[in-house]
Amino acid sequence: MSRSASIKDVANHARVAVGTVSNVLNYPDRVSQRTKDRVLQAIDELGFVRNDAARQLRAGHSRTIGLIVLDVGNPFFTSVVRAAEDAAALQGSAVLLGDSGHDAGRESNYIDLFQEQRVQGLLISPVGDVTERLDQLRERGVPTVLVDRLADEAKYSSVSVDDDAGGYLAARHLLDTGRRRLAFVGGPTSIRQVEDRLQGAQRAVAEVPDASLEILDSAGQTVLAGRGVGDQLVRRAAGELPDGVFCANDLLALGVMQSLTMLHTLRIPEDIALIGYDDIDFAVSAVVPLSSIRQPTEALGRTAIELLAEELDSDKPRHRAVIFTPELVVRQSTAGPEGSSAETRSGSSEEAAATAG
Amino acid sequence: MSRSASIKDVANHARVAVGTVSNVLNYPDRVSQRTKDRVLQAIDELGFVRNDAARQLRAGHSRTIGLIVLDVGNPFFTSVVRAAEDAAALQGSAVLLGDSGHDAGRESNYIDLFQEQRVQGLLISPVGDVTERLDQLRERGVPTVLVDRLADEAKYSSVSVDDDAGGYLAARHLLDTGRRRLAFVGGPTSIRQVEDRLQGAQRAVAEVPDASLEILDSAGQTVLAGRGVGDQLVRRAAGELPDGVFCANDLLALGVMQSLTMLHTLRIPEDIALIGYDDIDFAVSAVVPLSSIRQPTEALGRTAIELLAEELDSDKPRHRAVIFTPELVVRQSTAGPEGSSAETRSGSSEEAAATAG
DNA sequence: CCGATTCTTTGAATCGTTTCATTGTTACGA
DNA sequence: TCGTAACAATGAAACGATTCAAAGAATCGG
């Protein structure tokens, strides 16, 4: 009832030594069948469950990996988390999940907690400046992999997504389907992601002689901010309108779509093609299914675990920064004049453009 | 570099006994200022961090609480998780989060893991039939609180939300704003939540003599399923239309809204009032801001931790089932003829309708 | 200055598992 | 039958923190 059975209880019950019970659990081959049966039966009868604390005290480290994300509610991270958990499970580790909620204090608390738990390694999508903490951890033999952030390869491994390439992909797609007067809708360019996506788009536009790119600053990254931009667009004279709009994320794109379709003066995609970024669940079920740029979240999570495993295996401090290329998901909102309606994906096939450090 | 400092290293470095270091950490009042200073300095110089495994081996239990949810990506659970983490932090515990993803296998793995970790207690939103496992845990002194599921008070504490009351609240609101020909849109009534919400709505309708409630079966709980139902509605003759529609969740409601607003033949809320359930983030930024029923997720998470604490404190097996009442959030999609536009909340003030077991 | 009291500090024992040198057992070829 | 492998089982030591009885130091009143 109260105290749960220990390996010693099992040993007594099966009339063997504690070492033998341990061998049954960890090296079954070393134990004869007869003994093994007796021990297993005792385990079953007593309902013995290994005490992980004792185990990891002896081992010197746990079999868990810490993962700190900015926001578990964000589908991007949710997907990364799930992939990381699955990949970790394959190699016999469990993931301890922490949600910093963009709060440096919570982030720091989780690092403390994980350090006390002696996690094998840490995956983190940092909020504040944690380089000092991470350096300290590395010195103690706890490697870190940065997630969704490009790191200095001299110091850390990292997995990230090439936002410039994503921006290029989006703009290029609008150009490929015949649009020339493009517009970029995005929040403050102080956000790195927004900046990079814009830069990629500009790169694509520069490749086509008669193409132009207008920048429409949005007050944030929400549906409402998008609607604000959309409302401005519908008030313009026909000649002043863009014919292709690229939004820095899907929420903005959905807001723009709401404005344009609400008044029914402009049609998507005939008058204006629209493409977003992130490929959230809502994109496919928008009034006009939204084209978007999908980030390889599963690959991010999986690769982060793999990079961590690499660092754990070899004791040489060899770091790698793996950069993924996002992929284009074509739906109705950017259908060409001929209007093929099937959903299409193209672009990266989740292959890593890896570089060695 | 390699091995991290232990309490013994600290003791040597500060020239005191290990017990003294432990006292500095756990009972600072017992130690003189001089000694304390020396020890703290040693801790700082060596970068000592407590080894939680050793601590909990000695203590016999950890300072963590296991939490297994059906889907971390679901905003409902995300919010519950965050509240539970905060409440646990207040009492000095940490939450280990597991995402079963509606998979009984993953759920079982997490129970195993948490049992090996010797968690203090378990909060679970179960997928499969885990009563046997939970009984076993209870016998070993690991209490469980069921989350978002009403439990037999003889065996477990639980926190849940009264879906019948939510359904009543939604329908009642439509009736209160003058609608009489109501329709309920929902997936298979085999889902308990859907069933209960419908029942609550029927109860409300039965209270008003000339009111009626039509049931529109949807093929699922998605935006697309909602659009399917909406498409059927717009094809009806004007006289056959409901004037108030209650959807079993917000996704369905958004789908219905898309259909109705797309063709611009029916206006929301003038021709048809629309209300959803869950109050997801998108509700407020829909083309017509969507009225909805909000579940007190924070209270769920917080209360679950509190009930667990109760069970841990007293060793008498006294269980409680706490049932929360959801609240109505009024937005434009159900605005009355006079059309007050402000967002209003009413209904439960997050107070628990508790019953003792 | 002494004995009593309170305040500090000590260090061995303990938690449950794994490891590993040692001992005990069995089997087999010569 | 003996010597030697190969195989099984043993149990003490170690991991690092906490606890607690006991020893030691400081303080105080008389």
Side-chain angles (χ1 to χ4, degrees), chain A residues 68-70 98-114 124-130 133, chain B residues 85-86 89:
Chain A
I68 303 178
V69 299
L70 292 174
D99 179 5
S100 69
H102 294 271
D103 180 292
R106 289 180 68 119
E107 173 177 65
S108 178
N109 284 341
Y110 273 116
I111 298 180
D112 288 346
L113 178 66
F114 291 163
I124 185 170
S125 192
V127 193
D129 183 12
V130 286
R133 297 292 310 268
Chain B
E85 284 183 342
D86 289 343

Side-chain angles (χ1 to χ4, degrees), chain A residues 2 7 19 66 99 107 138 167 195 263 271 314:
Chain A
S2 51
I7 209 173
D99 179 5
E107 173 177 65
R138 183 152 37 75
E195 165 72 24
L263 299 185
D271 300 315
S314 71

Side-chain angles (χ1 to χ4, degrees), chain B residues 167-213:
Chain B
Y168 179 89
L169 218 51
R172 182 80 223 177
H173 171 61
L174 292 175
L175 294 166
D176 284 349
T177 53
R179 277 80 184 191
R180 285 296 175 273
R181 295 173 55 86
L182 305 193
F184 174 83
V185 178
T189 51
S190 58
I191 299 175
R192 193 192 46 72
Q193 268 92 348
V194 175
E195 165 72 25
D196 288 357
R197 289 168 195 178
L198 170 57
Q199 211 160 69
Q202 286 171 326
R203 200 155 50 80
V205 170
E207 289 177 6
V208 177
D210 56 341
S212 66
L213 180 68

